[in-house]
Amino acid sequence: MAAGCVVYYEPEEKDATRRFKMVFTSNKYPGLMFGVAYSPDGVHWTESPNNPRGTIKLEPQGGIKWNGAYYVNGQGGLHWAPDGWIRTLVTHVSYDF
């Protein structure tokens, strides 16, 4: 089950099985590591065999594709502060999804 996701739609994608791309978090991956999946229609999804992705936790909140790069923003990582642990805004960038 996905806890959060961001979906990109690219009608110009040459590989019809990857017209829809998703970044998601799931209890399937420990520590809220994120995964990616692909779909030809936005309904039937295939997870990447390279999941999980990323080196830090991510709760995806939004994403864009700009100048050939995919950006996904969200809450991620925990950092200690005098008042306790706090979450921070994280942006992941990829040119090859």
Side-chain angles (χ1 to χ4, degrees), residues 39-71:
S39 172
D41 56 11
V43 176
H44 304 94
W45 293 90
T46 302
E47 284 191 43
S48 169
N50 300 318
N51 285 344
R53 301 282 181 91
T55 57
I56 63 171
K57 298 176 184 182
L58 176 71
E59 295 178 33
Q61 303 297 319
I64 62 169
K65 183 178 180 187
W66 185 64
N67 283 342
Y70 299 90
Y71 295 81

Side-chain angles (χ1 to χ4, degrees), residues 2-3 22 25 29 32 45 48 65-66 72 76 82-83 90 95:
M22 179 188 344
T25 56
Y29 303 118
L32 284 179
W45 293 90
S48 169
K65 183 178 180 187
W66 185 64
V72 63
D83 294 336
V90 188
Y95 281 93

Side-chain angles (χ1 to χ4, degrees), residues 10-21 65 70:
E10 297 183 273
E12 72 280 358
E13 170 66 56
K14 291 181 172 112
D15 182 347
T17 65
R18 292 183 175 217
R19 295 242 164 95
F20 290 84
K21 298 166 176 68
K65 183 178 180 187
Y70 299 90

